Amino acid sequence: MSLHRVAVIAPSPVSMFNLAIPELLFSKVEIDGGPGYEVVVCTPEPGPIATTGGLDLYVGRGLEAVEGADTVLVAGTGQRYVPDPRTVAAVRRAAAEGVRIASICSGAFVLAEAGLLDGRSATTYWELAEELRRRYPSLDLKGDVLYVQDGNVMTSSGYAAGIDLCLHIIRTDYGAAVANKVARQALVAPVRPGGQTQFTQTPLPAERGVVCADTRGWAMSNLDKPLTLTDLARHAGVSVRTLTRRFHAESGVSPLQWLLHQRIERAKELLETTTLAMDQVAEASGLGSADSLRGHLVRRTGLTPSAYRATFSRLAAAA
């Protein structure tokens, strides 16, 4: 399997955290005993570039590194800045060649300046969201999500949302089991649900509290059981109404919406890592029947369970 090449463009000043995320996560992907990605960092003016932390960082590659990349990811600054015209031109050329384009934080301004977000859904760091909307009114701003994929273009919010974006990319390329393994190795939350390249979809909003954390953990350990709102409320020791209110405040979705997301993710992992029959996968993930599994998976990924397994299973390679 050939390496998937990721060109990470560093603006000046660059957020060192933004820049570290792709290398940290992509470098942990191992496929068939070898690396799954090659990550190359580049910048319009090779040499020392400023960082938002007040340090200088040496980047030795110029924008010629974008040529031949499978994915181009524009890192952010975490603050307002004017996109470098050379970076804008390089990103526009790559997109015209069908390369997947992504951004973290204020990197979305580069994509917007290149015209890649016209008529698309997009997001950026919440403090910059209104400015992005004002400067580029033709885009559809999603200001309350971690990341957005619209076609072959992806944008994420700031800081740790870049982790979710990179995990989503890994999952798209190599499946949920590989992405979740990387998440465990990096000691971060498992990959959140996202969409396929032909759809405009968003993941679960970021969790904003821990009051229901024990109940979420308990539910994850009991996905094979027919859990109800009453079961969840009983575990949390509150009424159904209180649970629903608290759960939505923390997770941004209802308890049953969250539960369905987790069931589908569990089913995807089982399809990738086991040879269980479809009705067994459905039962183990709490989706009930093979027909129910098929319906949910087709809506989420555009693939039937058997097609998903054929695409992402690592069992044959490991045999």
Side-chain angles (χ1 to χ4, degrees):
M1 182 179 293
S2 60
L3 282 176
H4 186 110
R5 193 163 185 266
V6 180
V8 181
I9 301 178
S12 181
V14 67
S15 162
M16 290 190 291
F17 183 59
N18 272 199
L19 202 57
I21 290 170
E23 192 282 328
L24 170 66
L25 297 179
F26 293 134
S27 67
K28 292 186 179 300
V29 176
E30 185 175 292
I31 305 297
D32 303 338
Y37 293 95
E38 175 192 8
V39 180
V40 179
V41 178
C42 58
T43 194
E45 287 286 347
I49 67 170
T51 70
T52 55
L55 303 175
D56 283 344
L57 181 69
Y58 186 86
V59 178
R61 300 289 298 272
L63 292 176
E64 71 280 355
V66 171
E67 299 177 11
D70 300 291
T71 298
V72 175
L73 193 157
V74 183
T77 65
Q79 59 191 34
R80 292 169 176 80
Y81 79 112
V82 177
D84 189 298
R86 293 167 294 181
T87 299
V88 173
V91 168
R92 187 184 290 123
R93 284 194 300 270
E97 294 171 0
V99 174
R100 180 169 59 192
I101 309 295
S103 67
I104 299 176
C105 192
S106 58
F109 284 79
V110 172
L111 275 57
E113 187 67 23
L116 304 186
L117 301 184
D118 292 348
R120 295 184 187 270
S121 296
T123 193
T124 190
Y125 183 41
W126 66 270
E127 288 190 344
L128 304 176
E130 286 308 314
E131 181 173 348
L132 183 68
R133 189 201 306 272
R134 177 179 57 79
R135 288 170 58 176
Y136 306 100
S138 61
L139 63 81
D140 178 17
L141 181 68
K142 306 293 185 183
D144 58 350
V145 298
L146 296 174
Y147 65 90
V148 176
Q149 175 170 354
D150 192 335
N152 214 30
V153 178
M154 307 177 185
T155 52
S156 81
S157 182
Y159 297 100
I163 296 174
D164 293 280
L165 175 69
C166 289
L167 288 174
H168 170 66
I169 291 173
I170 295 169
R171 182 182 62 185
T172 300
D173 293 338
Y174 296 113
V178 173
N180 287 340
K181 180 181 178 181
V182 170
R184 289 192 295 269
Q185 290 175 323
L187 300 178
V188 298
V191 60
R192 299 174 190 270
Q196 297 297 299
T197 56
Q198 66 268 38
F199 300 118
T200 301
Q201 295 184 358
T202 58
L204 290 178
E207 292 175 358
R208 298 183 289 271
V210 297
V211 174
C212 296
D214 286 345
T215 298
R216 287 194 295 268
W218 173 78
M220 289 292 291
S221 299
N222 291 275
L223 289 177
D224 58 328
K225 298 180 176 61
L227 301 178
T228 65
L229 272 176
T230 300
D231 295 327
L232 296 172
R234 183 181 298 114
H235 181 274
V238 297
S239 68
V240 168
R241 183 175 180 179
T242 298
L243 173 80
T244 301
R245 176 174 52 79
R246 290 180 179 175
F247 212 100
H248 197 283
E250 291 187 8
S251 301
V253 293
S254 73
L256 294 184
Q257 287 175 318
W258 177 89
L259 192 59
L260 178 59
H261 276 301
Q262 307 311 324
R263 292 192 191 285
I264 296 172
E265 289 300 300
R266 176 66 54 81
K268 288 162 67 177
E269 285 204 48
L270 292 172
L271 289 169
E272 295 172 26
T273 59
T274 75
T275 58
L276 291 174
M278 298 308 170
D279 56 347
Q280 292 175 306
V281 171
E283 182 178 355
S285 58
L287 291 174
S289 67
D291 286 342
S292 177
L293 168 65
R294 178 187 177 90
H296 285 299
L297 202 65
V298 168
R299 282 191 291 274
R300 176 63 55 81
T301 70
L303 299 173
T304 65
S306 57
Y308 186 91
R309 173 172 275 168
T311 302
F312 293 114
S313 175
R314 308 305 308 169
L315 295 179

